[in-house]
Amino acid sequence: MRLNEKLNMIGVKSGETWRKRLSSLLGLALAVLTGELVAGIASASPAYADDSGGRPSGGAAWKDPYPIMPTDNDPAFVGARWHPGPMVGDNLLEYLAHVPSGDTTGATVIVLSNDSLIEERLYNRALVVFIGPDSDAEHNGWLLDNMNDRDGPGCSPGCPAWMFVPAEAIRGVLADFARHVRFAHDRVQMFGNNDTRYDIYRALDPILQPYFAGVAHGIYAEWQQATCPNAAKPSASPPRIFFSWGGCDASFCPTIDCMITLKSNGYAIDPLSKGDTTLTSCPCPGGERPHVLPAGKEIWGATYDWLLANVRK
């Protein structure tokens, strides 16, 4: 389906909304991507974030919000298993945790609402917590029903899972996980992919900002879900933000719009952010473009490297 047809389906006329906003902020975007950001990609260390930890200048020191680590991992959590979390209204929110055997005290945790872009590499090197429905609706069936039965500008063709999961419930999942499993509390990352808008909204909710060391708007975002106009402002101890993207497709300009939004709100955009195209070769606003041009191996690798290495300092 063509881009303009998709816009019309959700009630947005061609050329409106994010395109107008991108046009007005193009100067800033060019400075971000073709200036400081591109320079940072070439010069930055391939591993850890800098000493600011992504905090605005003068930001408060981070205080660990997680429960005290258990003495050992709960055997019931070893492997790939579903666990009960908090209630969301009258519904139980479950989460799927992937925990290897052995000592995980220093392990990174990756939190997801969509596990479609996760490769074995992350499962082998990190603990993965998935908060969403399984395809058979055996777990979080109420959530899958909401995703399939609603419509509107935020839903095309289905609604994002975290549209129906409040920040308090995600915090409840993370706290429950921390009571059962040992992990590095300063290495918890949210990896937003596909339906990235609500991933960003929830992870940057003031309630959750202290729980995440990093928030990645990563690799691929549906064009209608790539912007983040209502993201919360940074708290006293916000996470670092990372962006990655593919080629010059329909998602590129909305992704850059989200980057501009978060940067203007005061977040630090990690200089390791990168993609397969730039504003020089793919200007915004642009015309009709392919629905998706998958990111190359270098971008996948850079995204996974960042998720595994980012740490609060």
Side-chain angles (χ1 to χ4, degrees), residues 96 98 107-113 118 122-123 125-131 174 177 187-193 212 303-304 306-309:
L96 176 62
H98 295 257
T108 292
V109 174
I110 310 295
V111 182
L112 311 160
S113 73
I118 298 302
L122 282 189
Y123 289 116
R125 298 181 59 189
L127 313 183
V128 178
V129 174
F130 169 62
I131 307 173
L174 296 177
F177 184 65
R187 288 179 175 270
V188 181
Q189 329 289 0
M190 194 287 297
F191 179 28
N193 63 85
F212 289 110
T303 303
Y304 284 172
W306 188 87
L307 288 167
L308 292 167

Side-chain angles (χ1 to χ4, degrees), residues 2-20:
R2 294 185 177 182
L3 177 60
N4 289 341
E5 293 173 342
K6 291 182 178 180
L7 287 167
N8 291 333
M9 283 179 61
I10 62 171
V12 179
K13 297 180 180 179
S14 178
E16 289 183 348
T17 313
W18 57 265
R19 287 190 177 183
K20 286 186 177 180

Side-chain angles (χ1 to χ4, degrees), residues 69-73 78 99-107 127 181-184:
M69 285 191 193
T71 303
D72 298 293
N73 286 349
V78 176
V99 179
S101 59
D103 183 15
T104 59
T105 303
L127 313 183
V181 178
R182 296 175 63 84
F183 60 88

Side-chain angles (χ1 to χ4, degrees), residues 8 11 15 49 53 65 93 102 139 145 154 158 220 242 253 268 270 272-273 286 296 303:
N8 291 333
L93 179 65
H139 301 280
D145 289 342
Y220 170 66
F242 177 86
C253 289
D270 197 291
L272 293 175
S273 298
T303 303

Side-chain angles (χ1 to χ4, degrees), residues 41-146:
I41 290 169
S43 61
S45 164
Y48 297 95
D50 65 29
D51 290 340
S52 74
R55 293 187 294 273
S57 177
W62 177 70
K63 295 181 179 180
D64 187 346
Y66 287 94
I68 295 173
M69 285 191 193
T71 303
D72 298 293
N73 286 349
D74 184 340
F77 275 70
V78 176
R81 302 184 184 183
W82 286 90
H83 305 282
M87 298 295 291
V88 177
D90 295 329
N91 301 298
L92 175 66
L93 179 65
E94 299 173 275
Y95 65 98
L96 176 62
H98 295 257
V99 179
S101 59
D103 183 15
T104 59
T105 303
T108 292
V109 174
I110 310 295
V111 182
L112 311 160
S113 73
N114 185 315
D115 60 357
S116 61
L117 293 182
I118 298 302
E119 294 182 349
E120 196 64 27
R121 173 182 171 188
L122 282 189
Y123 289 116
N124 290 339
R125 298 181 59 189
L127 313 183
V128 178
V129 174
F130 169 62
I131 307 173
D134 64 351
S135 58
D136 296 329
E138 182 179 352
H139 301 280
N140 293 330
W142 64 272
L143 187 52
L144 188 63
D145 289 342
N146 281 341

Side-chain angles (χ1 to χ4, degrees), residues 186-231:
D186 58 355
R187 288 179 175 270
V188 181
Q189 329 289 0
M190 194 287 297
F191 179 28
N193 63 85
N194 202 9
D195 295 327
T196 52
R197 176 179 297 149
Y198 280 88
D199 294 339
I200 294 293
Y201 285 172
R202 297 297 180 259
L204 296 184
D205 187 290
I207 289 174
L208 284 174
Q209 288 190 32
Y211 286 80
F212 289 110
V215 173
H217 185 297
I219 302 178
Y220 170 66
E222 281 286 354
W223 63 269
Q224 71 274 21
Q225 290 291 335
T227 59
C228 53
N230 298 319

